[in-house]
Amino acid sequence: MKIPSRIFSFPRFLKILQSLHLPTRPAGGNVKQVRSKTSDPAAHARHTDAVELFGKFYPCDDHTNVTPKILSKVGKSLQNQRNHPLWLLKERIKDHFYTSYLSRHRNPLFSVYDNLSPVVTTEQNFDSLLIPPDHASRRKGDNFYLNQSHMLRAHTSAHQRDLIRAGLNAFLVFGDVYRRDEIDKSHYPVFHQLEGVRLFTKYELFANVQHGEELHLFEKGYRTSCKQESHTLEAVKLLEFDLKQTLNKVVTHLFGKGLDTRWVECYFPFTHPSFEMEIKFQGEWLEVLGCGIMEQQLVNSAGAQDRVGYAFGLGLERLAMILYGIPDIRLFWSEDERFYRQFQVTHIDQKVTFQPFSKYPPLVNDISFWIPHEGYEENDFYDLVRNIGGDLVEKVALIDRFSHPKTGKMSHCYRITYRHTERTLTQEEVNATHRDIERSSVEKLGVEGRF
Ligand code: DAH
């Protein structure tokens, strides 16, 4: 995970959690919120003691901030639903890796996992990747925690260490990941990633280099902007070349030649050096993947100290939106047959260009309030809107901040765009939801309404 740009302030998650007056929607029969049987039902009518997921109980504590809405998505595994665009993309990527990368025995080199549980420990999600205990990416404001020790994975990198430890040297993991985020047509709190890892022994890495037998993977050197302390420059440069070539090839396989791409240097705590690939789409540079040379400490901790390697993470929705021309990320969750019928191909390489069905008109309502001096997080408001408005909400944008010159109080104004993907909304329906959002914001976030 990259370092998020917003700064953490202590949010009041339990209050918010208790504010979610929504009934739980059982998804795939896997999730359930468990009500306390022993506590006074009147006093604790909305108190939840534990979250049940895939048959396991996770006792709630001050970290718990999963919402019924989010839990309803767990177990849907869109990447495994036949003919879903994310499944189609997964199949095309698998096909590419299976045919392009073979072991000495002509078996596929990469093992593929697409069904690992999205419930991971915080140790797997962060510590296993050397993310420091006080790192900004652990903020409750950005992640969905079941409790202090367990969470919905924020990235598929959470599995890197364990799969290497299990003895794998090349693997791909497809899976759903969860992040608290703003709301717009390309951000949704659940999305899908592909993780890839490849490790090399000295013999594999230098196999095609003249006098390669004289080269080494490791040295007692120093860390520079382009290499880690223990790596030789030759090893790093070959890895970097192979990594970028591998990813350029996947993208070319998916999109054909002629796509405008660029590499940008960046920072991930578990790779050094690290890079992102951006694709130019409709005049904008969009980040579609992150990657880099794996920190040797991580590789060593997984018991592969005689190898070096690289890892990468691709955002599947971003790629699918560009590839199939899908204009809104919410459509991936649509059960409307006008959506999924378009992906019923007879062959995975068949070209699909999504034909948007008539877009129903949006309804736009603003909401303004004074925010409390402390403890207000924008993401709390976004979650609250998402919980009350569900998929009726297409976008929430902070359109104005105003600081009162005398009182010093800060006011925020958000514009909420309501639009259903499958029907026309009525003004009354939207008004009712909007009033609910106003009421809950006052009650749960402690804001002072300017409605
Ligand atoms: N996990 C990163 C993310 O959440 C993406 C990523 C994956 C970056 C693997 C890397 C990597 O450097 O090696 O965005």
Side-chain angles (χ1 to χ4, degrees):
M1 298 180 77
K2 272 197 307 185
I3 298 186
S5 49
R6 278 175 307 238
I7 303 300
F8 178 68
S9 77
F10 190 72
R12 289 168 298 168
F13 286 104
L14 273 186
K15 258 182 125 185
I16 295 154
L17 189 70
Q18 286 159 12
S19 76
L20 305 170
H21 298 191
L22 287 174
T24 38
R25 177 145 54 99
N30 288 322
V31 289
K32 212 186 305 168
Q33 295 245 330
V34 183
R35 292 260 150 92
S36 164
K37 291 204 182 76
T38 48
S39 56
D40 168 7
H44 300 279
R46 300 194 196 288
H47 181 79
T48 48
D49 279 353
V51 177
E52 184 192 351
L53 249 168
F54 300 116
K56 280 204 181 139
F57 291 88
Y58 300 89
C60 295
D61 59 25
D62 66 341
H63 262 62
T64 310
N65 67 351
V66 284
T67 61
K69 187 89 199 154
I70 277 300
L71 291 174
S72 77
K73 307 288 185 197
V74 179
K76 295 256 180 193
S77 298
L78 299 182
Q79 76 277 9
N80 296 337
Q81 286 184 23
R82 221 186 143 74
N83 290 96
H84 188 279
L86 295 176
W87 172 86
L88 210 49
L89 187 58
K90 178 187 80 172
E91 290 304 312
R92 291 193 64 198
I93 295 174
K94 269 167 60 181
D95 191 50
H96 169 72
F97 275 94
Y98 281 164
T99 49
S100 309
Y101 300 91
L102 298 174
S103 72
R104 268 191 298 134
H105 308 290
R106 319 237 21 101
N107 293 321
L109 185 71
F110 285 84
S111 318
V112 175
Y113 292 82
D114 57 15
N115 210 7
L116 298 177
S117 170
V119 179
V120 297
T121 61
T122 50
E123 197 276 334
Q124 288 172 303
N125 197 83
F126 300 116
D127 306 70
S128 80
L129 293 158
L130 314 170
I131 298 176
D134 55 352
H135 196 268
S137 64
R138 296 183 185 243
R139 294 186 302 200
K140 286 199 283 189
D142 290 326
N143 296 288
F144 286 106
Y145 285 93
L146 294 173
N147 57 29
Q148 295 222 3
S149 56
H150 287 81
M151 63 190 292
L152 299 175
R153 67 184 160 211
H155 53 175
T156 41
S157 305
H159 304 288
Q160 281 187 10
R161 192 256 335 257
D162 296 344
L163 292 174
I164 298 176
R165 206 177 256 174
L168 299 177
N169 295 315
F171 56 85
L172 304 175
V173 177
F174 294 87
D176 39 336
V177 299
Y178 298 78
R179 292 187 199 172
R180 299 179 74 200
D181 214 333
E182 58 212 77
I183 304 172
D184 63 30
K185 63 183 187 329
S186 58
H187 291 90
Y188 199 80
V190 192
F191 59 100
H192 296 74
Q193 284 189 326
L194 158 63
E195 190 79 14
V197 167
R198 183 161 181 197
L199 300 179
F200 299 80
T201 61
K202 167 176 156 165
Y203 305 103
E204 288 162 347
L205 192 64
F206 300 132
N208 300 317
V209 178
Q210 221 187 358
H211 306 301
E213 62 288 350
E214 290 165 24
L215 299 176
H216 301 281
L217 296 181
F218 303 112
E219 67 170 349
K220 281 250 167 306
Y222 45 88
R223 197 176 173 100
T224 67
S225 64
C226 66
K227 79 172 210 39
Q228 294 168 40
E229 187 176 323
S230 63
H231 291 159
T232 60
L233 191 60
E234 301 77 57
V236 172
K237 285 296 158 192
L238 279 172
L239 281 173
E240 182 180 328
F241 176 76
D242 198 274
L243 168 64
K244 288 184 173 170
Q245 182 172 261
T246 301
L247 292 168
N248 284 334
K249 278 189 182 160
V250 189
V251 169
T252 311
H253 173 75
L254 293 173
F255 293 90
K257 290 208 173 72
L259 188 73
D260 213 353
T261 62
R262 68 178 185 193
W263 287 101
V264 184
E265 273 183 49
C266 66
Y267 170 76
F268 290 102
F270 39 95
T271 50
H272 177 74
S274 304
F275 312 95
E276 277 169 358
M277 184 199 270
E278 296 182 341
I279 294 185
K280 196 160 197 179
F281 181 62
Q282 296 177 341
E284 261 184 68
W285 285 104
L286 288 179
E287 173 201 323
V288 291
L289 65 88
C291 63
I293 311 305
M294 293 182 78
E295 281 289 346
Q296 197 57 34
Q297 201 188 326
L298 198 170
V299 179
N300 294 351
S301 74
Q305 48 287 332
D306 54 335
R307 291 168 197 262
V308 292
Y310 57 68
F312 53 87
L314 278 78
L316 294 179
E317 274 84 349
R318 281 270 169 97
L319 287 174
M321 286 170 85
I322 302 173
L323 192 58
Y324 302 121
I326 299 172
D328 189 318
I329 197 165
R330 292 178 305 162
L331 282 164
F332 288 97
W333 298 91
S334 171
E335 284 169 13
D336 187 324
E337 62 164 356
R338 285 173 302 170
F339 176 72
Y340 62 76
R341 256 216 333 252
Q342 297 195 31
F343 300 93
Q344 309 276 315
V345 290
T346 45
H347 188 278
I348 55 169
D349 285 324
Q350 195 175 317
K351 191 169 160 46
V352 180
T353 305
F354 177 68
Q355 304 295 329
F357 26 93
S358 63
K359 254 208 159 184
Y360 296 96
L363 286 168
V364 175
N365 282 20
D366 291 349
I367 175 169
S368 310
F369 43 69
W370 299 107
I371 62 169
H373 284 301
E374 264 181 30
Y376 175 82
E377 277 253 351
E378 268 174 55
N379 275 350
D380 295 341
F381 180 67
Y382 296 138
D383 275 357
L384 184 142
V385 174
R386 181 84 71 188
N387 276 295
I388 294 173
D391 287 348
L392 296 190
V393 176
E394 176 173 272
K395 183 170 174 171
V396 185
L398 178 59
I399 55 166
D400 191 35
R401 276 176 222 261
F402 164 73
S403 166
H404 193 284
K406 290 218 178 93
T407 61
K409 281 204 291 189
M410 175 66 98
S411 158
H412 280 187
C413 177
Y414 295 88
R415 174 152 298 164
I416 307 182
T417 308
Y418 298 89
R419 188 193 327 241
H420 203 288
T421 50
E422 287 149 26
R423 63 188 169 80
T424 301
L425 289 172
T426 64
Q427 188 65 58
E428 293 80 73
E429 196 176 355
V430 166
N431 285 349
T433 306
H434 201 72
R435 295 286 98 77
D436 260 2
I437 292 173
E438 289 176 346
R439 211 175 313 118
S440 289
S441 309
V442 172
E443 265 176 41
K444 318 305 171 198
L445 304 180
V447 305
E448 194 187 318
R450 303 178 69 193
F451 317 134

